């Protein structure tokens, strides 16, 4: 027997993407987004409502980065999804993140998150909230590479969002509580 959950955005896996941008004054900003994925060979699509400071920054700078949240930084990654850059302009710093400017796009890479997709804005539709970016480069910190130079998923420890239970999961287990763990940084 099945239980009906209704028409809701419930699916596995949902990535935990941390979208990083520069504000008008070049301050790094980041937000947590689970509704997104690769939509073409060199394209990523995200569902981001127009009210987000991140969206305003992307439209202004025409660039952004997408880092994969990891187990070691679950609290900081949850925090940047709990507070708005419109109200907390230094949330990037409060999360404990540090930025290095991308060599390929006008956006910051988050030093603490080892896998980063560097993107140029393709388009944004405020009616559907769909933002598409051209993937310009994928930058990976050597600390998550194996001896062959390949990404070691165990070292990278990316997490996913579990929308059924509002938790974060890694392969094989729970790593945190969505919309909760980051509150300790508020």
């Amino acid at each position: 027997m099945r239980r009906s959950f209704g028409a809701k955005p419930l699916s596995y896996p949902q990535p935990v993407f941390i979208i990083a941008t520069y504000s008008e004054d070049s301050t790094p900003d980041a937000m947590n987004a689970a509704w997104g994925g690769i939509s073409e060979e060199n394209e990523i699509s995200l569902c981001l409502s127009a009210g987000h400071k991140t969206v305003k920054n992307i439209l202004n700078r025409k660039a952004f980065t997408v880092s994969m949240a990891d187990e070691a930084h679950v609290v900081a990654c949850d925090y940047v999804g709990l507070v708005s850059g419109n109200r907390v302009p230094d949330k990037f710093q409060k999360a404990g993140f540090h930025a290095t400017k991308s060599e390929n796009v006008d956006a910051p890479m988050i030093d603490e998150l080892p896998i980063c997709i560097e993107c140029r804005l393709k388009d944004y539709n405020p009616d559907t909230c769909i933002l598409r970016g051209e993937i310009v480069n994928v930058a990976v910190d050597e600390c998550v590479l194996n001896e062959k130079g390949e990404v070691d998923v165990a070292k990278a420890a990316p997490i996913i969002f579990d929308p059924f239970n509002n938790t974060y999961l890694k392969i094989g287990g729970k790593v945190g509580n969505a919309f909760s763990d980051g509150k300790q940084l508020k």
Side-chain angles (χ1 to χ4, degrees), residues 10 12 161-169 174 176-178:
L10 304 175
Y12 289 119
F161 173 59
D162 171 359
F164 290 91
N165 301 296
N166 279 343
T167 60
Y168 294 116
L169 306 172
K174 177 181 169 182
N177 297 297

Side-chain angles (χ1 to χ4, degrees), residues 10 32 51 61 103 111 119 134 150 152 164 170:
L10 304 175
N32 180 320
R61 297 279 186 140
E103 294 179 12
D111 296 343
C119 302
E134 174 192 1
E150 303 164 331
D152 181 333
F164 290 91
K170 67 174 186 169

Side-chain angles (χ1 to χ4, degrees), residues 25 53 58 98 113 120 125 127-128 169:
D25 65 357
K53 180 169 181 54
I58 292 169
H98 300 88
L113 302 177
R120 251 187 240 115
N125 184 329
D127 295 328
T128 63
L169 306 172

